[in-house]
Amino acid sequence: MRIVIVSNKDWHRKYVDEIESRTNSNVMYLSGREEVTREKLTEFKPDWVFFPHWSYIIPAEVYENFRCVIFHMTDLPFGRGGSPLQNLIARGIYETKLSAIKCDKELDAGGVYKKVPLSLWGTAEEIYLRAAELTKEIIIDLVLNPVEPIPQSGNIVTFQRRKPADGNVELCGNLNQVFDYIRMLDADTYPKAFLETEKFRLEFSRASLRENEILADVKIIMKGE
């Protein structure tokens, strides 16, 4: 069995050895956008191509010629589209499903291979690490017990990709929302929740919610620098 894992986050790289061992497979790990080509995959001849965390459009020549599986942090078809973790938490949704679906032309619309429960409590980084562990188990299960994808059913709800400006805690109406904004953006390489004054920008991380207050780390920088 030959498996390709494509991710632009190192959270998944550490699972390669375990996946190889438990599935008796040969795993190729790709992290660069330029590596995901029909030519490279044709040379490797994979049985599965998994995309546990990928920020780019997958070329049609890839998903049309190989069995490609993407992972999405919503109970599809609810929550198709960008920034699923942040969009869910911003809506006050704290329990979701991690959906493994067939990669198709329409965004997040492919048939479902498997769904598993996923908690959205903790910081964004904690949630992503939790999802990575679940992703590993789904990959192993699909390789050992392959199934055909089932078409999605239910009402379609589409999310818009959130922008860095959407992390402004001035948009929040209460402390619970401020706490959620801070933690849902608290991960490496993600723009932090922030508050701006005329001269300064305050960026928040490591928040804890008390009865009538939030304690958090804050980074203060001069605007424009």
Side-chain angles (χ1 to χ4, degrees), residues 96-112:
T96 186
K97 297 286 183 65
L98 179 63
S99 298
I101 65 171
K102 180 179 184 241
C103 183
D104 215 336
K105 180 178 180 180
E106 189 177 351
L107 183 65
D108 301 327
V112 177

Side-chain angles (χ1 to χ4, degrees), residues 114-146:
K114 192 176 180 68
K115 292 182 181 182
V116 296
L118 173 64
S119 169
L120 297 181
W121 293 103
T123 66
E125 184 142 359
E126 290 169 342
I127 296 167
Y128 285 128
L129 291 173
R130 188 180 304 135
E133 178 71 25
L134 292 173
T135 298
K136 175 200 69 178
E137 294 298 329
I138 292 174
I139 290 173
I140 292 170
D141 184 51
L142 288 178
V143 172
L144 296 179
N145 306 289

